[in-house]
Each structure stands twice: as structure tokens, then as C-alpha cells.
Amino acid sequence: MIERHIKPEVAAIFIDVARGRRGIYSDDAAFEELLAEAKAAFEAADPETVEIIRQFARAEVPDGGVLFHGLTVDQDDMGESPRDPVAFEGKDRDPVTEAALLAFASVAGEVFSFARQHRGALIQNVTPIPGHEYDAVGTGSRSLLDWHSEDAFDDAPQFVGLFCVRGDERVQTALAPVDRIDLSAEDEAVLRQPRFMHGIDKASGGTGRPEDGVQGAALYGEDGKRFVRIDMDCAAAVTGDDEAAAALQAFHDGADKEGIYVTLGAGDILLFDNRRVMHARTPFEPRYDGTDRWLQRVIITDDLGRSADRRINHHRVVENELVGA
């Protein structure tokens, strides 16, 4: 996986771009203006890093991920890590971290969201939340967040972007590039067949149980390409299909062997290809004292037009039709 350090003078441009821009969580025009100006400033200031992100979006980097270090986080200005998924959105501050994340993400593609996640927020603030400790969602903590691709039950995003606002040395983020995973021809063939149930996770309003989800394959792709769509916490073989269950276990074991583990620190941005990489997070004990690990998250598509008929209330927010009312 490529790692790159951002020069201090480049990191500083996001402070300038964000100055005085408030309300981007509630004002669509403010959000769009910040995104456009942050992207333009980034492209002008650091064309080499921009080209790396474009190579990433074209699937031309190893392991489907890029990690950037050195962005600016004023911890005093950010305040305490939120204990409610949406509590931070109303805070009156210059959105420096959001400007950086949007700039990097918008080079890769178009930022969007799903209506059922974090109330459709385009930038999601992810911290451990009381009551979610053992849930298989980003706001969980004490349980392993197992190998998964985002929104495996739906029209999954192409890319995911994470900005580490506040790190925790006890916690590791893991990536498992699917091309690295050694599978037998028989298991590969089974995983490409619709013999698996994909549960709808609790973050999207579902139960997380496989039997309550949708049926489909775990792998797909033509001409030798291997793309993934699975959430191991919410997936299972169709009832009675022992061959599919064995193939899914082999896939999981292969991901464990090939995992790339990183500890995100404040000012890191991680971009990964949601089709080529599964990701996971190790368990940890939350503190709930205002200093917990805090990520800002966006999901990204390479073709916003593909979901046009499902973006009926907001031009960047996709309605989750597969989730029951």
C-alpha cells in the first residue's frame, strides 16, 4: 500500500479554505462551495499527490489503498470526541478536517451518502457510541468489526475515505486486498454464485441477520477481475448449502492471512477501493471521556449518475430501497 507524507505548506491550505465556512452539515450550498474550493486549492498546491489519487481511482496502485500523513488537526478546536453520531454536526467551527477529506475524496470521485446512514450526512463523524459496544457497526468498540465491504447489500460505493481526527494506538484498521487472497478454483467459482445471504447492517436500519437480507454472490467481475461484496458480520451461505459455507470460510481465512494492519493517527487520510479491498477494525475498550478515537468518513462513487433514480430528495443522497420501512 502506498504511503505519502503531505507537506506542511499543502496541509495549511485547508486551514485557509475552511476559514469562516460554517454550517456545511446543514447548508447544501455551503457544503458544495467548500468541496469545490478545497478541491481546486488542493489540485493547484500538490499536483503530485493529486495524480497518486487519480491513479488510485483507476486501480493503478498496489493493494487498493493509499495512506496520507501530515494533515492538520487542532485538537483544542475540535473539542471532545462526540458520543452521539450527529451531535458534532451542529458545532460552530471552521471545517478544516472536512475540507481536507473532501478535497482528497473529490479527486477520486463524487461524494455521496445513503439516507439511512447517519441521517444521510455526507460527512459522518464516527466514534464509539454508548450502547453500540457489541454491534457490528463503525460506532461499535468491544467486538471485532470483521472483514467487510461497505453496503454489501446495496449499490456499494466504489471508494471509502477516512480522516483520523483523533487516533488511538490500541486500535488497528485492517485492509485485505482480495487479489492477494489465495482461493481454490472451486471456491472461487462458488463465491461468484448467488449462494449467500447479505444482511442489512444496523447502521442502515436493518437487523444485521443474514436471513433478513438479500441473496447474491460474494465475488464478481469479468475478464479475470476479482471484485468483492460481502460483510462477514452480516453474511452467511444460503441455509443448507454446505459447499458455499466452506467457500466463505476459506475466503475469510485467506483475508486473515493477507491483512494489512495500520494504526491511524491524527491527520491521517486513508482511501481504499471498496470493490478490491475488504476492511476491518480491531476491538478496543472505549473511554467515553472525550478522548476516544474519532474518524470522519465519506463514501465515493465513480458514477453518480448510476443512482439518479434513487436520489429523489437530495442530489447526493441515495434512498435505501432495500431496507424495509
Side-chain angles (χ1 to χ4, degrees), residues 13-213:
I13 70 170
F14 300 111
I15 300 173
D16 295 334
V17 169
R19 186 171 291 116
R21 296 182 183 275
R22 310 295 173 91
I24 68 162
Y25 289 95
S26 58
D27 186 326
D28 291 342
F31 176 91
E32 295 294 338
E33 289 172 3
L34 179 66
L35 185 152
E37 295 198 18
K39 180 183 179 184
F42 181 38
E43 290 176 331
D46 194 350
E48 291 182 358
T49 300
V50 166
E51 178 55 27
I52 290 173
I53 298 173
R54 288 175 177 158
Q55 291 171 3
F56 157 78
R58 297 194 298 263
E60 296 173 358
V61 302
D63 302 324
V66 284
L67 178 58
F68 304 94
H69 305 285
L71 279 301
T72 300
V73 182
D74 185 328
Q75 296 293 338
D76 291 335
D77 187 51
M78 297 302 291
E80 293 189 353
S81 301
R83 301 184 205 179
D84 180 317
V86 296
F88 182 75
E89 297 174 7
K91 187 174 180 182
D92 187 27
R93 51 171 286 277
D94 292 352
V96 179
T97 57
E98 290 90 341
L101 179 56
L102 289 174
F104 280 63
S106 61
V107 171
E110 290 284 353
V111 173
F112 77 108
S113 68
F114 288 108
R116 292 287 183 112
Q117 291 182 0
H118 292 248
R119 299 194 304 201
L122 291 164
I123 299 174
Q124 299 171 3
N125 288 278
V126 181
T127 60
I129 300 298
H132 295 192
E133 287 87 353
Y134 298 100
D135 290 340
V137 293
T139 51
S141 52
R142 291 178 181 148
S143 293
L144 170 72
L145 188 59
D146 209 348
W147 298 113
H148 64 287
S149 49
E150 294 294 327
D151 306 292
F153 65 90
D154 202 348
D155 184 15
Q158 278 68 44
F159 313 114
V160 176
L162 301 175
F163 188 112
C164 184
V165 175
R166 184 162 292 144
D168 187 330
E169 62 183 13
R170 305 170 300 165
V171 187
Q172 289 183 304
T173 299
L175 302 181
V178 294
D179 283 343
R180 283 192 180 197
I181 298 174
D182 185 24
L183 291 170
S184 69
E186 293 78 12
D187 284 343
E188 174 107 16
V190 170
L191 290 163
R192 289 176 177 271
Q193 298 169 25
R195 297 165 66 174
F196 305 90
M197 297 301 299
H198 301 276
I200 299 164
D201 62 69
K202 291 183 178 180
S204 295
T207 65
R209 295 191 299 264
E211 62 268 26
D212 296 334

